[in-house]
């Protein structure tokens, strides 16, 4: 697969495409560093109902963790601080920073700035565009399916490789499994890169109609529609044989038709009378698979991926003889369009001038920019090494400049006679909240250069 960049917003679709190319497995990135024993996961001990999410954390030693006696308050939807707490609790799972960020562990590639997003759960804030959109989608499902869909929005984003990939049939050589694309906590554990990571366990628990909303994490390049943390909603509906047997069509066609009808209705509920079209595609977990595009501001925009669930997933999870559909949609992409939000970083802003513009239940209120601060461009050129990737560069830039970086763009690439490749990237610095001083930007650029040189094994030019 290529996680296609134009896709489901930031829900860069997790699909195999014709561009699929195998990757070496579990290659620690040059950014990752030291090793810590797996037992340090004791801090992630699950409490009661979430046991099933972390079967491999269920050793009794988990309960002996010194942190197990600390209790952190349930996160309050409205007053969450953007500053990373030392100990988080999500869906009953306690998470300490050094459970997730371990610089010297070569099997870990989660940076501080990503850890700081875990637990913020924008989708659980009723006055935030992401939460408002989630609730509007809930309304659609509640009114069309008599509240039959069970909703999950607090499942822990730290999942096993098995949940994230194996259980949804992502092939062993699929590029999405690489350290370049996914955040690994250790070789067996990742920050989920899609909400499909929860499909199998919820099927096993016996659910037949469910919606899973959550933050998902992907290493990626930087621009105004891509951010390494974004939000998805997954929907799954399982049908029993008596639901399609009198339909006069085969089960797969029946379910595919039902899926399309459901999602067309959802698009109309959110966007009004829009033009839409279906495009055939490929996902490892559905067959057939489709994408829905809507015509918006003179462009076809992909808003979700979906399809008829692979039989193997149903059979392996106690649903032999059933048929199901599943979809996954990217909330940022939809919200940017519905609320006219021009830059994906704004979703994370705590600036009153942003947050005060949205309120519960008000879908589609148009965002008024508080003012446009000028960007400042700085170029950086270097001879790359074999292990260099653009995602690693972006990770370093984001690590130094945080949300002050708006875009990192390759502007020059050439290989000399000796076979050495030089690349030049243009970094756009721009705050969504204030003007940046020259001095500040020069300092950032200096730090970026230093860190790129020391961490990425490139030779600056
Ligand atoms: N998980 C897919 C993605 O992240 C979306 C999807 C979900 C597609 C369910 C089909 C079915 O891109």
């Amino acid at each position: 697969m290529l996680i296609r960049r134009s896709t489901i917003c930031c829900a860069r679709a997790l699909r195999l495409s014709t561009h699929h190319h195998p990757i070496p497995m579990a290659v620690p990135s040059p950014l990752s560093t030291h090793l810590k024993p797996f037992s340090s996961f004791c801090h992630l001990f699950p409490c009661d109902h979430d046991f099933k999410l972390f079967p491999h954390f269920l050793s009794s030693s988990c309960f002996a963790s010194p942190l197990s006696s600390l209790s952190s308050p349930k996160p309050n939807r409205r007053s969450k601080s953007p500053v990373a707490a030392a100990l988080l609790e999500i869906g009953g799972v306690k998470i300490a920073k050094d459970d997730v960020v371990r610089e010297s562990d070569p099997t870990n590639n989660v940076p501080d700035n990503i850890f700081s997003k875990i637990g913020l759960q924008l989708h659980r804030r009723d006055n935030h565009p992401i939460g408002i959109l989630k609730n509007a989608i809930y309304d659609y499902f509640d009114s069309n399916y008599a509240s039959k869909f069970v909703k999950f929005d607090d499942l822990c984003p730290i999942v096993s490789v098995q949940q994230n990939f194996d259980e949804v049939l992502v092939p062993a050589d699929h590029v999405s499994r690489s350290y370049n694309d996914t955040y690994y906590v250790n070789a067996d554990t990742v920050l989920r890169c899609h909400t499909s990571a929860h499909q199998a366990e919820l099927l096993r628990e016996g659910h037949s109609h469910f919606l899973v909303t959550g933050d998902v994490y992907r290493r990626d390049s930087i621009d105004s529609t891509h951010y390494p943390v974004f939000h998805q909603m997954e929907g799954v509906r399982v049908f029993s044989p008596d639901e399609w047997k009198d339909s006069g069509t085969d089960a797969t066609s029946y379910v595919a038709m039902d899926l399309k009808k459901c999602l067309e209705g959802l698009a109309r509920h959110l966007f009004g009378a829009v033009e839409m079209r279906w495009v055939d595609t490929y996902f490892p977990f559905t067959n057939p698979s489709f994408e829905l595009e809507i015509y918006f501001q003179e462009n076809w925009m992909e808003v979700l991926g979906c399809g008829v669930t692979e039989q193997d997933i149903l059979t392996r999870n106690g649903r032999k003889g059933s048929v199901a559909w599943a979809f996954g949609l990217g909330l940022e992409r939809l919200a940017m369009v519905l609320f006219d939000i021009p830059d994906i970083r704004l979703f994370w802003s705590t600036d009153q001038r942003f947050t005060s513009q949205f309120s519960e239940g008000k879908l589609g209120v148009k965002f008024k920019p508080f003012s446009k601060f000028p960007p400042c461009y700085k170029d950086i050129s270097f001879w790359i090494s074999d292990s260099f990737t653009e995602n690693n560069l972006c990770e370093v830039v984001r690590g130094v400049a945080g949300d002050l970086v708006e875009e990192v763009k390759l502007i020059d690439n050439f290989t000399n006679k000796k076979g050495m490749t030089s690349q030049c990237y243009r970094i756009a610095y721009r705050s969504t909240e204030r003007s940046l001083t020259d001095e500040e930007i020069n300092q950032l650029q200096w730090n970026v250069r230093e860190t790129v040189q020391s961490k990425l094994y490139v030779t600056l030019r």
Side-chain angles (χ1 to χ4, degrees):
M1 115 177 163
L2 277 206
I3 289 174
R4 236 192 43 206
R5 300 199 24 125
S6 60
T7 310
I8 318 179
C9 170
C10 311
R12 299 145 255 186
L14 189 80
R15 92 193 81 196
L16 279 169
S17 72
T18 44
H19 312 296
H20 165 71
H21 54 93
I23 45 103
M25 284 300 301
V27 183
S29 98
L31 287 179
S32 55
T33 25
H34 43 237
L35 188 62
K36 223 177 175 183
F38 180 68
S39 58
S40 69
F41 263 92
C42 288
H43 304 320
L44 286 178
F45 78 92
C47 300
D48 47 70
H49 61 281
D50 275 308
F51 276 5
K52 292 182 207 77
L53 294 183
F54 293 92
H56 58 293
F57 298 153
L58 280 177
S59 75
S60 55
S61 62
C62 289
F63 295 94
S65 160
L67 290 174
S68 64
S69 56
L70 299 178
S71 65
S72 62
K74 264 263 179 247
N76 174 337
R77 260 175 228 196
R78 290 178 199 212
S79 62
K80 266 181 209 153
S81 149
V83 179
L87 185 67
L88 305 169
E89 183 174 335
I90 303 164
V93 179
K94 291 201 165 108
I95 304 166
K97 182 171 170 191
D98 57 357
D99 289 327
V100 182
V101 181
R102 293 196 307 270
E103 272 216 33
S104 60
D105 180 346
T107 69
N108 178 292
N109 65 352
V110 183
D112 275 2
N113 60 314
I114 291 296
F115 175 75
S116 71
K117 297 292 190 290
I118 299 177
L120 295 186
Q121 298 188 312
L122 302 182
H123 58 284
R124 300 183 75 201
R125 302 180 187 193
D126 295 334
N127 292 314
H128 188 283
I130 299 293
I132 297 167
L133 174 56
K134 179 197 79 173
N135 290 333
I137 301 175
Y138 278 2
D139 288 346
Y140 171 78
F141 279 93
D142 282 346
S143 51
N144 286 278
Y145 296 90
S147 300
K148 258 185 142 178
F149 276 80
V150 182
K151 302 165 193 103
F152 299 88
D153 71 355
D154 194 24
L155 299 179
C156 185
I158 302 169
V159 300
S160 63
V161 165
Q162 201 174 334
Q163 290 172 294
N164 198 70
F165 297 121
D166 302 336
E167 289 187 342
V168 281
L169 313 179
V170 176
D173 64 353
H174 197 282
V175 69
S176 63
R177 293 184 183 243
S178 75
Y179 269 65
N180 191 52
D181 287 35
T182 291
Y183 290 106
Y184 278 78
V185 170
N186 63 29
D188 305 314
T189 313
V190 296
L191 301 184
R192 68 181 162 216
C193 71
H194 56 171
T195 42
S196 304
H198 300 288
Q199 272 191 24
E201 75 206 46
L202 293 172
L203 287 169
R204 280 199 296 281
E205 283 174 14
H207 297 288
S208 57
H209 295 69
F210 56 88
L211 300 171
V212 180
T213 313
D215 36 327
V216 298
Y217 299 77
R218 294 186 193 175
R219 296 181 94 238
D220 209 338
S221 44
I222 299 179
D223 66 31
S224 64
T225 61
H226 292 89
Y227 200 81
V229 189
F230 59 99
H231 297 78
Q232 283 191 330
M233 188 188 292
E234 189 90 2
V236 172
R237 177 177 179 187
V238 184
F239 297 74
S240 55
D242 46 312
E243 288 180 82
W244 75 77
K245 71 174 191 298
D246 299 327
S247 68
T249 66
D250 63 286
T252 304
S253 317
Y254 178 82
V255 168
M257 244 160 51
D258 184 86
L259 169 67
K260 288 183 172 179
K261 209 174 75 199
C262 165
L263 294 172
E264 285 168 14
L266 173 62
R268 252 179 261 111
H269 174 73
L270 298 175
F271 290 93
V274 278
E275 257 194 275
M276 31 189 146
R277 67 180 184 193
W278 288 100
V279 179
D280 290 335
T281 189
Y282 179 85
F283 293 105
F285 21 89
T286 48
N287 187 17
S289 304
F290 316 101
E291 282 159 2
L292 179 62
E293 297 186 342
I294 63 172
Y295 196 67
F296 194 82
Q297 292 175 349
E298 290 163 28
N299 280 309
W300 284 105
M301 182 184 70
E302 193 184 317
V303 292
L304 59 85
C306 64
V308 178
T309 304
E310 280 287 358
Q311 268 305 312
D312 228 23
I313 298 181
L314 295 170
T315 311
R316 289 185 196 185
N317 295 290
R319 302 310 185 86
K320 202 168 172 9
S322 307
V323 187
W325 53 240
F327 68 82
L329 54 84
L331 295 178
E332 272 83 350
R333 157 80 47 112
L334 291 171
M336 285 177 87
V337 173
L338 287 163
F339 295 92
D340 255 350
I341 294 173
D343 189 316
I344 194 165
R345 291 173 297 162
L346 281 161
F347 289 109
W348 299 95
S349 175
T350 52
D351 191 312
Q352 274 272 319
R353 290 168 299 175
F354 177 78
T355 54
S356 65
Q357 294 194 31
F358 308 100
S359 44
E360 184 166 354
K362 297 226 166 89
L363 185 71
V365 169
K366 299 301 177 204
F367 169 66
K368 291 180 211 66
F370 20 96
S371 83
K372 186 90 174 156
F373 301 100
C376 174
Y377 300 99
K378 295 277 175 194
D379 294 350
I380 179 168
S381 321
F382 40 75
W383 298 104
I384 62 170
S385 60
D386 286 348
S387 63
F388 176 82
T389 69
E390 188 174 321
N391 283 359
N392 285 349
L393 172 69
C394 288
E395 201 74 1
V396 165
V397 179
R398 190 95 72 184
V400 172
D403 284 359
L404 297 181
V405 52
E406 177 176 69
E407 187 173 39
V408 175
K409 195 167 158 192
L410 180 67
I411 56 167
D412 189 38
N413 184 25
F414 74 90
T415 304
N416 71 9
K417 287 194 196 108
K418 290 188 201 148
M420 291 162 68
T421 299
S422 164
Q423 294 192 336
C424 179
Y425 286 86
R426 178 153 295 164
I427 303 175
Y429 295 99
R430 187 211 298 257
S431 164
T432 54
E433 294 166 2
R434 63 190 175 84
S435 289
L436 300 174
T437 63
D438 283 349
E439 201 187 348
E440 190 174 8
I441 290 163
N442 289 338
Q443 184 63 53
L444 286 172
Q445 181 69 2
W446 176 258
N447 294 346
V448 164
R449 288 177 66 84
E450 293 270 287
T451 321
V452 164
Q453 171 135 290
S454 64
K455 288 205 171 171
L456 297 184
Y457 311 113
V458 300
T459 309
L460 293 179
R461 305 186 59 209

